[in-house]
Amino acid sequence: MGKYDFTEIEKKWQAYWQENGTFIQPNPDDVDFADRPKYYILDMFPYPSGAGLHVGHPEGYTATDIVARHKRMKGFNVLHPMGYDSFGLPAEQYAVEHGVHPRETTAANIANIERQIKMFGFSYDWSRRVATTEPDYYRWTQWIFLKMFNSWYDPDADAARPIEELIDKLFSGALAVDAGGNVVPVAPYDRIPNISLEGVAYGQVKFQKLALDQQRRLIDEYRLAYMAEVPVNWCPKLGTVLSNEEVTNEGKSDRGDWPVYRKNLKQWMLRITSYSDRLLEGLDELDWPESIKIMQRNWIGRSEGADVDFVVDGSTGVSPVPEQEVIRVYTTRPDTLFGATYMVLAPEHPLVEQITTDEQRDAVDGYVKEAAHKSELERTTETKQKSGVFTGAYAINPVNDEKIPIWVADYVMMGYGTGAIMAVPAHDERDFEFAKAFSLPMRAVVMPDMTWIQQKRPKPMPKPEWDRDPENWIKNYISKPETYSIAFTGEGTAVNSDRYDRLTTAEFKKQVTEWLEENGLGRAAVNYKLRDWLFSRQRYWGEPFPIVHCEKCGTVALDEDQLPLELPEMDDFTPSASDDPDAPPAPPLAKATDWINTTCPSCGSPAKREINTMPQWAGSCWYYLRFLDPKNEKIFCDSDVEKYWMKPPSEESAIRNPQSAIGGIDLYVGGAEHAVLHLLYSRFWHKVLYDLGYVSGPEPFGKLFNQGMIRSYAYRDKRGVCVGYEDVDTSGDKPVHKTTGEVLSESIEKMSKSLKNVVNPDEVIGEYGADTFRLYEMFMGPLEASKPWNTRDVPGVHRFLHRVWRMICGNEETQSLLTDKVGDEKVERALHKLIKKAGEDIKAMKFNTAIAAMMEFVNVVFKAGAISKTQAERFVPVLAPFAPHLAEELWQRLGHDKSLAYEPWPEYNESLLVEDTAELAVQVNGKMRGLITVPADAAEDAIIEAALAEPKVAAAVEGKTIVKKIVVPGRLMNLVVK
RNA sequence: GCCGAAGUGGCGGAAUUGGCAGACGCGCAGGAUUCAAAAUCCUGUGUCCGUUCAGGACGUGAGGGUUCGAGUCCCUCCUUCGGCACCA
C-alpha cells in the first residue's frame, strides 16, 4: 500500500482544496448560501515582514484552523479569513535605504508569507483576502476617518452623533458658547473653570454672534477626529514623531539612536477619551481572559476624586481670565486637604509663566527649559532624586485659608489630571520624598492603624523613653510625620482636620466634596489615564488623510466619492532630517508638490493636502469588518451581511448559545502583545461605527483567546556570545560547542536573530510535513502557556502519524489493521471515549490533551490488533481538524470520493462510556493501601467488605477500630482507623 | 514599587467539584529485527531504602494551616515570566 508520503499527500490535498474552493464560505446574499448557524473565527492578521513567518504565527493559526474545521463538521457556516496588515515602517525604511518602492517590498513580502501560510493547509477562505495597503481597502479606512471627522460626542446621548447635530444645536440656541476667551460651549467635559468662583458668572455668547472662523474652530474642536497642539516625541534627525515605545530609556530613537525631544506639534487626534467609560463597562460583557481585561482597565485608569480650586495669593480671584488666578488640582484624596503644605505645577503648566516672581524667574525658566529636553521616559526613569524649583508665589488652601508655596517640579505630569497638584507629603510617597528633599513641612491628617504605627515608627523615637507608651506613638505621628521614613498612604481616621476630625476617609471625602461644591470651590471629578489617540505620523507608507487645508475654509474633508485618496508616486521617501530640534517637521509627502497642491472641495480656491499619514494601527482597527464583504464597492460592508456574521443574538438564542451573548466575532486568537493598543483601538472604532448605525453590536470581539509565546533554547559560550544550533551538540549531558568542545550555557529565550535561536517553519515542514508541524505545536502544551520549542520532540508526533498510516493503510513491511469483521468491543469503547474527549477539548481549546487522547486510542487499536472500517471512518474525522492532509488521504482510501471537510462530526454513545465494574483505590488514614475491583453499582457495605479482604488493607487495619468510612463512588474509599 | 500569570520526573507536559500524582510524548536503558545502521517493534523508566521476588519511606518552589483526604482551598515567603510605572 505504500508508505506515508506526506510531501505528496500535502501537495495533493492543498491543490484539491484550492481547485474545489472547498473553504469558500458564501454570504447570505450569495446564491449558494445555506442558512445555518454561523461561526466567525479570526486570527490577528500578520504584518508581512521580510523575515517571513516564525513558528509563533502558525501556533495561533493552527488552533483557529482546528476549531474552524471542527465547526464545519458540526454544521456551522464558518467564516475564517486571512489578510495582511501591510502598512508600516520597515517597508518604508527599506525603501529609504534601497530605493525600492514600499509597494514592491510589501508585495514581495506578502507573496512570501502567503506561500508559507499555505504550506500549513489552513482552511482559510482565500477569496476574502485583504491587505490594508490596497487602495480598495484603505479607501474605507479613510471613509471611517471621515465619519469620525464628521462626528462629535454628544454627552446627552452618550454617543457619537453627526457633527450637523452639534451645529444645529448651536444655531438653535440649545447650546451656547462661554466667554472665556476660548471657544468652549457649555459642555460638561471641559476643564476651564467657568463656575469656579462665586460672583464670576461668565456671560454666554450666542453662537451666531461669533465670527465665522471662530465658529469653524469651535466646531473643529468638537470633532472625534481633531487637530491639536500636543507634546510629542520629536526626533528631528528622523524627521518624525515617535511613539513612547520607539524611544529608548536614554531618550534616544530606537532606530538610529538619535536624540528625541519633547515638542508641541499640531497633530491629528482621535477622541477615544470620550469612550473611556463605555470601553471600561463593555469589558464586563466580554468572554476574554481576565488578565487582558485587567490590563485594559488599568490602561483606561479610571479614578474618582475631586477637582479643587486654589486661588493664587494676591490675586482677587475675580478676573475675566480666571484660569490665570486659580489653580485647579485633581485629587483622589480630598480628605487630605488639610495636609496640603505646598502645591506643584508641571513645568509645562500655562500658569508657571504667569505666577513666577521676578526673583525666581531665572531659576524657573532654566528648570522648565531643562525639563522640555527630557523625554517622558527620562523623566519617569529618574525616580531616585526629585527635582523642582520654587516659583515665589503662594496659593490659598480653600479649606483653611492657609498660604502655601507653589513649586514647579517634573514629577507632576501635564498630561494627567490638571497638570497641578496639591502636595500632601504626609500621605503621598512622592510628595513625601519631595518634601524631604526640599525640607518642606508636613502635616499628618490621616491616623494610621496601630499595626502600621508599631511597624513603621521611627526607632528610636525622638525621645527614647516615649517608646514605652503607645499613646506617645500616636502623639508623635500626629505632630511629626516627617520623622517616619515613609508616608502613610492608606485609609484611616481624620486628625488635624478641624471640623472633620475623627471621620473615616470615605465619609470625609463625601462631606468635604459636598462642602466644596456648595461653596463653588470644587466638585466631584473622575479622571482617566487614557489619553486621546495621537493619530498622525510623518511617514510615507501609511493611509493619507482625506483632508485639505484651505486658507479660507480651514480644515476641509474630501467628499466620500473622492476616495480613495491614493498615495502619490515618489522615488525619495526620506523625511527631511535636521540637527535642529526646532526645525519644523517635513514629512516625505511634503516633497510630492504636485499631489499636495489641490483645490479646496468647499470653495474651489487653491489649497494644500494634509501631508501626515495615519499610524499603522488604523488599518487593523476594522479589518474584521472588511472580511465580511471584501469586494463591496458601495460600502465598507453590507449591513445585512454584517448582521448575519456579527449581530448579537436575541435573548432567546443567547440562552441557547451563551458563549456569544454580546455578538461580534465568535473567537479571536492572537498574541497578548496586542492586549491593550490594537484591542482597545478596534473596540473604539467599532463603538463609533455602532453609534453611527453602521454595525449592529457594541463590541467587535465577543471571545478572545491569547496564545502563549513560543520561545526556544539559546546557547552562549563563556564570553556570552550566542551560538547557533548548527554548532551545538546536545547529545551529551551538557550542550557543547561542536568544534571547540566548550560547554555552553543554555537558557530559554524569545526567538531572535541576535540570539541565534530562531526556528524556521519551512525547514521543519520540509523534513516532517505540515501535519506533523501542526500536531507538534498543538501537542507542546496548553495554547495559552508560553513554552519552549524543542526540535528533538518533533519526531514523536511524526511517529504517531506514521502509526495512524500503518493502522489504516499498512506499508511495505506491515499489514494494515483494517478488518472487515465487526469491530473489537474495547476499540469501540475507546473510540466513543475519544470522540467525546476530542470534541470537548477542541471546544475548550485544549488541543494537547485531545492529541494525547488520539494517541491513546491508536495504542488501544494496536493492542487489539484490528480496527473495523466503520471504526476507522469515525476515527479519521476526529483526526481531520488536526492533521487534515493525512485525514483526507485516509478518507479517500477508505472509499470516499469527496473531501471530508463537511462530513458530520461522529457521534458518541454515553452508555458505552459507563463501565460495569469500577476500580477503587483503597486508602487507610489517607494512605493508598490497595486497589479493588467492584461492580459499578456495588453498595457501600459490599465495597468495604471487599476492601477489608485485601491483605494489605487488612494488615493496616489490624488491631485498630474503624472510626469513619468514606466512599467516593467510582473513585476511592478511605478508612479512618484508630 | 503596583497589577497579572506561573512554579509538578532528566525534558515538554497530564490530573471534573479537593479523591489512585506523573496520562500522552520526548529522552534514556535493555531486548527483537538487521551483515550493520537508520527506521520499526517490545519491555522498563519519579527519588531513596531494601539482596532478588517482595515490601517500605519520601515526593507537585519553601514554610505553616484547613480536611478522613491537598498539586488543587487559606495564610506567609521565594523564584521566573508578562504588563504598567512619579497617574496625584
Side-chain angles (χ1 to χ4, degrees):
Chain A
M1 289 292 267
K3 63 176 184 29
Y4 168 40
D5 185 349
F6 52 84
T7 313
E8 271 309 305
I9 291 172
E10 289 173 7
K11 218 166 75 190
K12 169 179 161 186
W13 287 100
Q14 283 170 19
Y16 175 96
W17 295 326
Q18 172 111 34
E19 279 161 26
N20 291 277
T22 307
F23 301 116
I24 291 179
Q25 170 59 53
N27 267 347
D29 52 358
D30 292 334
V31 275
D32 44 357
F33 176 79
D35 192 13
R36 301 192 295 182
K38 66 95 185 182
Y39 199 82
Y40 185 2
I41 178 163
L42 183 67
D43 294 291
M44 291 183 189
F45 67 164
Y47 172 75
S49 84
L53 287 186
H54 55 80
V55 294
H57 288 112
E59 186 193 19
Y61 303 164
T62 304
T64 53
D65 196 55
I66 291 168
V67 176
R69 286 174 181 272
H70 179 243
K71 284 284 173 190
R72 281 191 202 98
M73 298 173 96
K74 293 290 263 182
F76 285 75
N77 282 334
V78 173
L79 182 57
H80 189 38
M82 177 47 76
Y84 305 99
D85 186 14
S86 37
F87 274 127
L89 196 58
E92 180 168 332
Q93 206 74 18
Y94 190 86
V96 169
E97 284 157 23
H98 298 90
V100 185
H101 196 285
R103 194 190 304 116
E104 289 171 35
T105 319
T106 301
N109 289 350
I110 287 180
N112 179 49
I113 205 164
E114 187 156 311
R115 175 192 62 79
Q116 287 186 306
I117 292 175
K118 285 185 169 167
M119 289 191 312
F120 292 92
F122 298 131
S123 60
Y124 292 120
D125 177 352
W126 285 105
S127 71
R128 293 173 185 261
R129 186 189 93 147
V130 300
T132 55
T133 43
E134 290 161 358
D136 278 350
Y137 181 91
Y138 70 68
R139 167 186 183 180
W140 298 108
T141 311
Q142 292 171 331
W143 183 87
I144 296 171
F145 175 83
L146 284 186
K147 290 293 165 205
M148 296 204 202
F149 180 77
N150 288 319
S151 302
W152 71 299
Y153 202 86
D154 181 349
D156 293 331
D158 198 16
R161 311 297 314 165
I163 196 79
E164 287 78 26
E165 289 186 15
L166 172 65
I167 298 170
D168 287 349
K169 283 187 184 182
L170 284 164
F171 273 109
S172 72
L175 290 173
V177 183
D178 84 5
N182 292 308
V183 276
V184 179
V186 182
Y189 43 79
D190 64 311
R191 288 217 155 268
I192 309 301
N194 49 21
I195 53 154
S196 61
L197 294 166
E198 259 183 307
V200 189
Y202 306 118
Q204 297 199 324
V205 175
K206 280 193 177 168
F207 186 68
Q208 290 93 323
K209 296 232 169 119
L210 294 175
L212 216 62
D213 73 311
Q214 279 181 312
Q215 288 184 346
R216 212 192 56 225
R217 272 182 10 232
L218 173 87
I219 301 294
D220 283 352
E221 281 184 25
Y222 278 80
R223 298 176 187 275
L224 288 189
Y226 63 100
M227 292 192 89
E229 187 110 339
V230 287
V232 295
N233 300 305
W234 168 247
C235 179
K237 203 75 187 180
L238 287 176
T240 183
V241 301
L242 299 172
S243 66
N244 284 341
E245 294 74 32
E246 292 165 320
V247 182
T248 65
N249 284 341
E250 288 75 42
K252 300 282 185 67
S253 64
D254 194 37
R255 261 168 198 275
D257 207 33
W258 307 110
V260 174
Y261 302 91
R262 303 289 297 169
K263 182 173 182 170
N264 285 333
L265 283 178
K266 199 160 191 194
Q267 299 285 306
W268 280 100
M269 307 290 290
L270 297 186
R271 201 177 298 284
I272 189 172
T273 50
S274 296
Y275 284 83
S276 300
D277 274 327
R278 286 170 63 193
L279 288 167
L280 195 62
E281 286 156 14
L283 287 171
D284 298 338
E285 308 299 320
L286 297 174
D287 184 3
W288 283 21
E290 202 51 40
S291 59
I292 303 291
K293 288 191 189 180
I294 289 169
M295 273 196 236
Q296 292 218 344
R297 284 193 192 108
N298 290 345
W299 192 264
I300 295 167
R302 185 182 201 274
S303 70
E304 285 179 19
D307 281 344
V308 185
D309 290 341
F310 286 64
V311 179
V312 177
D313 185 45
S315 73
T316 58
V318 180
S319 156
V321 195
E323 67 270 35
Q324 290 177 353
E325 312 285 334
V326 170
I327 300 175
R328 176 168 286 187
V329 302
Y330 171 73
T331 176
T332 54
R333 293 294 298 272
D335 62 298
T336 61
L337 262 164
F338 287 85
T341 51
Y342 64 100
M343 299 188 79
V344 185
L345 301 181
E348 302 88 347
H349 198 285
L351 265 185
V352 172
E353 173 73 24
Q354 198 72 30
I355 61 166
T356 300
T357 59
D358 291 342
E359 302 88 71
Q360 293 299 102
R361 185 155 308 276
D362 285 351
V364 170
D365 284 355
Y367 184 79
V368 168
K369 209 167 202 174
E370 206 181 305
H373 282 264
K374 288 187 199 167
S375 69
E376 185 110 16
L377 274 154
E378 237 179 321
R379 268 170 64 169
T380 54
T381 313
E382 290 173 351
T383 47
K384 299 135 229 156
Q385 194 57 51
K386 293 264 185 295
S387 68
V389 179
F390 178 44
T391 62
Y394 293 83
I396 308 298
N397 186 335
V399 292
N400 57 9
D401 294 334
E402 219 169 73
K403 203 168 123 180
I404 57 176
I406 306 169
W407 286 63
V408 179
D410 65 5
Y411 82 92
V412 173
M413 303 288 157
M414 195 56 217
Y416 183 80
T418 59
I421 61 156
M422 63 172 201
V424 185
H427 302 293
D428 181 280
E429 279 173 46
R430 296 146 302 174
D431 297 343
F432 183 88
E433 273 175 44
F434 190 83
K436 283 230 162 172
F438 292 96
S439 304
L440 291 160
M442 292 188 194
R443 186 181 304 138
V445 291
V446 185
M447 195 59 209
D449 52 281
M450 277 315 279
T451 343
W452 191 87
I453 299 247
Q454 192 182 355
Q455 280 170 8
K456 312 289 182 184
R457 73 182 192 281
K459 290 160 210 160
M461 296 280 273
K463 288 181 185 167
E465 64 272 21
W466 283 6
D467 209 35
R468 276 176 234 127
D469 184 0
E471 275 299 305
N472 290 326
W473 303 352
I474 294 170
K475 278 186 204 151
N476 176 64
Y477 184 78
I478 292 176
S479 59
K480 287 187 163 44
E482 66 274 13
T483 57
Y484 283 61
S485 60
I486 57 161
F488 174 70
T489 57
E491 304 205 338
T493 38
V495 292
N496 289 331
S497 296
D498 192 28
R499 57 200 182 273
Y500 297 100
D501 276 355
R502 280 187 292 281
L503 286 183
T504 62
T505 298
E507 186 56 29
F508 192 160
K509 278 185 188 176
K510 214 178 116 199
Q511 290 192 18
V512 78
T513 308
E514 278 167 18
W515 181 84
L516 288 167
E517 267 173 51
E518 279 162 23
N519 291 277
L521 296 165
R523 55 182 150 169
V526 173
N527 241 298
Y528 303 89
K529 289 188 206 171
L530 186 67
R531 308 284 72 180
D532 272 344
W533 178 8
L534 173 61
F535 195 68
S536 43
R537 300 290 183 273
Q538 291 69 44
R539 284 174 188 158
Y540 173 77
W541 197 227
E543 298 88 348
F545 285 89
I547 292 287
V548 165
H549 298 286
C550 169
E551 272 190 35
K552 276 194 217 149
C553 314
T555 308
V556 182
L558 293 187
D559 287 333
E560 284 176 18
D561 58 19
Q562 292 180 296
L563 302 181
L565 171 62
E566 294 196 38
L567 281 164
E569 283 307 319
M570 291 176 72
D571 304 322
D572 178 10
F573 310 100
T574 328
S576 311
S578 169
D579 291 320
D580 177 11
D582 297 324
L589 286 179
K591 296 177 185 166
T593 39
D594 290 351
W595 181 82
I596 292 172
N597 291 308
T598 181
T599 50
C600 171
S602 173
C603 70
S605 50
K608 290 193 187 308
R609 293 195 192 280
E610 169 68 48
I611 53 174
N612 288 304
T613 53
M614 299 185 199
Q616 204 189 341
W617 305 105
S620 61
C621 274
W622 71 281
Y623 73 111
Y624 55 91
L625 292 169
R626 190 60 179 170
F627 278 141
L628 302 175
D629 199 6
K631 306 276 189 317
N632 198 323
E633 288 176 6
K634 297 201 180 70
I635 181 129
F636 70 98
C637 172
D638 178 80
S639 133
D640 287 336
V641 171
E642 193 274 337
K643 278 198 187 87
Y644 176 73
W645 292 109
M646 298 287 284
K647 194 178 183 194
S650 65
E651 257 176 59
E652 184 198 329
S653 59
I655 289 163
R656 287 194 191 148
N657 189 14
Q659 61 178 348
S660 59
I662 192 79
I665 291 163
D666 298 275
L667 179 62
Y668 191 32
V669 176
E673 67 271 21
H674 294 118
V676 178
L677 297 180
H678 161 61
L679 289 170
L680 199 66
Y681 293 155
S682 280
R683 293 182 60 221
F684 162 50
W685 278 41
H686 198 87
K687 285 182 187 300
V688 173
L689 291 172
Y690 178 64
D691 287 351
L692 300 177
Y694 292 104
V695 295
S696 51
E699 290 283 343
F701 315 120
K703 180 182 168 106
L704 173 75
F705 196 98
N706 283 118
Q707 86 225 32
M709 199 191 312
I710 296 187
R711 298 184 295 162
S712 71
Y713 294 95
Y715 299 96
R716 288 192 182 86
D717 65 17
K718 282 191 201 84
R719 294 167 300 160
V721 176
C722 295
V723 182
Y725 291 151
E726 63 284 358
D727 293 325
V728 181
D729 177 10
T730 50
S731 58
D733 278 357
K734 284 181 179 161
V736 293
H737 197 289
K738 271 185 187 160
T739 42
T740 65
E742 186 191 331
V743 175
L744 303 169
S745 75
E746 184 185 79
S747 58
I748 295 171
E749 316 253 9
K750 254 184 217 179
M751 287 191 197
S752 82
K753 267 188 197 158
S754 59
L755 290 167
K756 296 187 178 167
N757 65 339
V758 175
V759 178
N760 181 347
D762 290 40
E763 288 169 25
V764 182
I765 290 189
E767 199 171 344
Y768 297 100
D771 282 338
T772 296
F773 189 103
R774 294 167 58 114
L775 218 54
Y776 171 65
E777 286 213 339
M778 294 300 100
F779 189 57
M780 284 171 80
L783 188 62
E784 67 275 18
S786 117
K787 45 216 171 271
W789 176 280
N790 194 350
T791 304
R792 279 216 283 185
D793 288 342
V794 175
V797 286
H798 190 60
R799 240 171 267 172
F800 165 68
L801 292 181
H802 269 284
R803 259 163 92 78
V804 170
W805 178 267
R806 277 193 298 123
M807 177 172 87
I808 292 171
C809 300
N811 60 24
E812 283 88 348
E813 294 115 49
T814 358
Q815 282 289 308
S816 127
L817 302 185
L818 212 55
T819 157
D820 298 335
K821 291 182 200 136
V822 179
D824 182 276
E825 200 204 322
K826 270 197 207 112
V827 172
E828 187 66 21
R829 207 183 273 278
L831 181 58
H832 283 254
K833 211 172 124 190
L834 169 66
I835 293 166
K836 179 174 197 237
K837 171 89 175 144
E840 286 170 355
D841 281 355
I842 291 173
K843 244 185 207 157
M845 317 262 300
K846 288 162 73 175
F847 306 114
N848 53 331
T849 50
I851 293 167
M854 288 193 279
M855 289 172 166
E856 278 179 272
F857 171 74
V858 171
N859 289 345
V860 169
V861 173
F862 271 86
K863 211 151 243 168
I867 181 169
S868 75
K869 182 155 180 280
T870 63
Q871 287 170 338
E873 279 175 330
R874 281 171 290 156
F875 169 71
V876 170
V878 174
L879 177 70
F882 298 86
H885 309 89
L886 174 60
E888 290 275 22
E889 182 68 21
L890 295 174
W891 189 246
Q892 192 180 59
R893 287 177 184 240
L894 284 166
H896 303 271
D897 55 2
K898 234 172 55 212
S899 162
L900 56 42
Y902 295 90
E903 287 296 319
W905 183 258
E907 304 279 339
Y908 65 89
N909 185 343
E910 196 75 51
S911 67
L912 264 180
L913 299 175
V914 184
E915 311 267 348
D916 12 307
T917 59
E919 208 173 47
L920 250 59
V922 182
Q923 296 182 341
V924 178
N925 284 350
K927 283 212 161 112
M928 265 291 291
R929 292 299 170 190
L931 281 172
I932 53 170
T933 308
V934 294
D937 54 357
E940 197 172 311
D941 290 347
I943 292 170
I944 289 163
E945 200 181 316
L948 289 170
E950 258 322 271
K952 277 204 266 173
V953 177
V957 177
E958 181 78 60
K960 295 178 177 155
T961 29
I962 298 173
V963 293
K964 202 167 179 183
K965 306 161 191 167
I966 293 126
V967 176
V968 184
R971 291 207 166 260
L972 60 56
M973 55 158 304
N974 191 9
L975 296 173
V976 186
V977 299
K978 254 190 194 161

